[in-house]
């Protein structure tokens, strides 16, 4: 293996230490960041993610409030809860753990969140602000990837950036962020022809397709930087990314692993958004009283 490992765990740890100090300072000013985490149903992966998020909050001094709702919760009930949290002064930011059970419309649920408390940056108001280059929050996974690149002094400006995947959570917002950093961005998806050929053009290749080991070493330009967002559990429980690590790490100059790469960075960015939301709430409250 010749590639440098881009260590998200280590970087996330130092980001969290800074957030912890920031939260201590805010508390001295009477600002108490609080994150509401809503989980509907009993999906084990969602439960695990929610537990991680609560643990992260506790580590940096952010209070988290869990709302665990029954699988059969109606959309009306869920939206009513969100509306209550929207005006609750203890709650700076709201996160609805996705995916929701099939009977709930994710778009309508996300649209119900107060954009000022949109911890994930999924609300169309915030997506629009991101698109027009004036973001309020940054979407967690894409922002985590940019911080990982920048902390490792990987220049984005002028580089050929290829993003595999066009989801609203990863691919599309990441493409916008890379563009805002002056990358030349190509977005690939399930209908892209000659995927390997397009990937081989990339100086920076980010793969978020949710397809185990879709991209192998022969689809990577020698010396490229490879960010593997995918997390896939194979039968027998082995975790693999969307990139075949054994072959890709022979060709790339730098690469993330399936664990300790993008995941911890995503989690750290959620904490950043929660702190930002607490500051926004404080400013708005002060304006309301003046
Ligand atoms: P998604 O299923 O919403 O989107 C997948 C995208 O990949 C789609 O746009 C689709 O067009 C594209 N795609 C699928 N098959 C393809 C193929 N054969 N060739 C080219 N493109 C293809 O997934 P998502 O939410 O964007 O997540 C993607 C992966 O990233 C998943 O494995 C998910 O678990 C992981 N993920 C990890 C983190 C993290 O923090 N580590 C965060 C979010 C998502």
């Amino acid at each position: 293996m010749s590639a440098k490992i881009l260590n998200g765990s280590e970087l996330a740890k130092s980001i969290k230490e800074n957030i912890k100090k920031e939260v201590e300072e805010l508390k001295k000013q009477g600002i108490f960041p609080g994150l509401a985490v809503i989980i509907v149903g009993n999906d084990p992966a969602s439960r695990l993610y929610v537990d991680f998020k609560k643990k992260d909050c506790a580590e940096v001094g952010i209070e988290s409030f869990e709302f665990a709702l029954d699988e059969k919760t109606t959309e009306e009930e869920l939206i009513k809860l969100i509306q209550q949290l929207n005006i609750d002064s203890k709650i700076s930011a709201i996160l609805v753990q996705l995916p929701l059970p099939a009977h709930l419309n994710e778009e309508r649920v996300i649209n119900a969140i107060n954009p000022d408390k949109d911890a994930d940056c999924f609300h169309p108001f915030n997506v629009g602000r991101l698109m027009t280059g004036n973001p309020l929050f940054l979407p967690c996974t894409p922002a985590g990837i940019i911080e990982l690149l920048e902390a490792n002094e990987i220049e984005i400006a002028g580089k050929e950036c290829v993003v595999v995947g066009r989801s609203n959570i990863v691919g599309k917002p990441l493409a916008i962020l890379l563009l805002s950093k002056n990358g030349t961005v190509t977005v690939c998806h399930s209908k892209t022809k000659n995927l390997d050929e397009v990937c081989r053009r990339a100086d920076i290749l980010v793969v978020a397709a949710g397809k185990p080991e879709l991209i192998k070493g022969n689809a990577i330009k020698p010396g490229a930087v490879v960010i593997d967002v995918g997390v896939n559990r194979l039968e027998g429980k082995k975790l693999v990314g969307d990139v075949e690590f054994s072959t890709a790490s022979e060709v790339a100059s730098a690469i993330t692993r399936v664990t300790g790469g993008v995941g911890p960075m995503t989690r750290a960015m959620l904490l950043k958004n929660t702190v930002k939301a607490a500051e926004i709430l404080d400013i708005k409250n002060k304006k309301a009283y003046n």
Side-chain angles (χ1 to χ4, degrees):
M1 192 194 80
S2 54
K4 172 186 176 184
I5 300 297
L6 301 173
N7 191 330
S9 299
E10 220 169 67
L11 180 58
K13 195 166 165 240
S14 78
I15 292 171
K16 283 199 281 186
E17 279 161 13
N18 286 337
I19 295 175
K20 189 173 177 188
K21 286 183 203 144
E22 219 176 313
V23 170
E24 278 164 14
E25 283 308 309
L26 286 175
K27 285 181 175 171
K28 283 184 202 157
Q29 298 166 42
I31 302 169
F32 295 84
L35 176 68
V37 184
I38 304 175
I39 175 169
V40 187
N42 308 306
D43 177 56
S46 291
R47 168 44 60 198
L48 192 68
Y49 289 134
V50 164
D51 288 345
F52 279 151
K53 288 166 187 173
K54 284 164 54 189
K55 183 174 152 282
D56 291 338
C57 283
E59 256 178 59
V60 299
I62 292 175
E63 194 167 358
S64 64
F65 303 84
E66 180 182 310
F67 298 86
L69 307 182
D70 187 85
E71 181 85 33
K72 293 199 176 70
T73 301
T74 65
E75 202 169 296
E76 246 188 325
E77 288 167 330
L78 176 54
I79 289 178
K80 198 167 167 212
L81 169 64
I82 292 172
Q83 287 167 342
Q84 283 163 0
L85 298 173
N86 280 344
I87 53 169
D88 185 332
S89 60
K90 289 194 299 302
I91 306 296
S92 342
I94 302 168
L95 176 150
V96 179
Q97 184 63 46
L98 302 180
L100 290 169
H103 68 283
L104 301 171
N105 180 305
E106 284 185 359
E107 196 183 341
R108 279 197 295 266
V109 170
I110 287 166
N111 288 359
I113 298 173
N114 174 352
D116 287 341
K117 296 191 176 189
D118 182 21
D120 271 325
C121 191
F122 289 165
H123 191 287
F125 173 85
N126 285 318
V127 176
R129 286 193 61 154
L130 179 70
M131 187 85 186
T132 50
N134 180 29
L136 186 61
F137 299 108
L138 292 175
C140 299
T141 302
I145 291 169
I146 300 288
E147 287 217 10
L148 190 58
L149 291 172
E150 290 184 339
N152 283 280
E153 291 172 351
I154 294 163
E155 178 84 33
I156 299 168
K159 295 286 173 63
E160 287 283 343
C161 305
V162 174
V163 178
V164 182
R166 57 174 163 185
S167 72
N168 289 336
I169 295 174
V170 188
K172 276 191 228 164
L174 176 64
I176 299 297
L177 280 185
L178 289 166
L179 198 56
S180 75
K181 299 280 175 186
N182 299 316
T184 301
V185 185
T186 304
V187 181
C188 302
H189 46 78
S190 53
K191 302 287 187 287
T192 296
K193 293 200 173 107
N194 307 321
L195 179 66
D196 284 1
E197 209 175 285
V198 181
C199 289
R200 267 194 297 273
R201 296 209 302 255
D203 300 311
I204 299 174
L205 175 65
V206 186
V207 191
K211 294 282 177 286
E213 299 181 328
L214 174 71
I215 302 298
K216 308 201 185 324
N218 62 4
I220 293 167
K221 176 159 120 181
V225 172
V226 178
I227 306 289
D228 188 358
V229 185
V231 182
N232 310 284
R233 197 169 287 282
L234 301 181
E235 276 178 43
K237 303 262 173 188
K238 190 184 171 206
L239 266 192
V240 297
D242 289 353
V243 174
E244 189 181 66
F245 184 82
S246 60
T247 54
S249 57
E250 292 296 335
V251 188
S253 60
I255 191 167
T256 58
R257 288 189 188 277
V258 63
T259 53
V262 175
M265 292 301 296
T266 298
R267 287 164 56 183
M269 295 302 111
L270 174 68
L271 302 173
K272 266 198 172 181
N273 279 348
T274 303
V275 169
K276 177 109 195 253
E279 289 166 342
I280 292 169
L281 188 63
D282 180 62
I283 290 168
K284 294 225 163 160
N285 282 343
K286 281 183 182 142
K287 271 195 187 150
Y289 287 116
N290 280 338

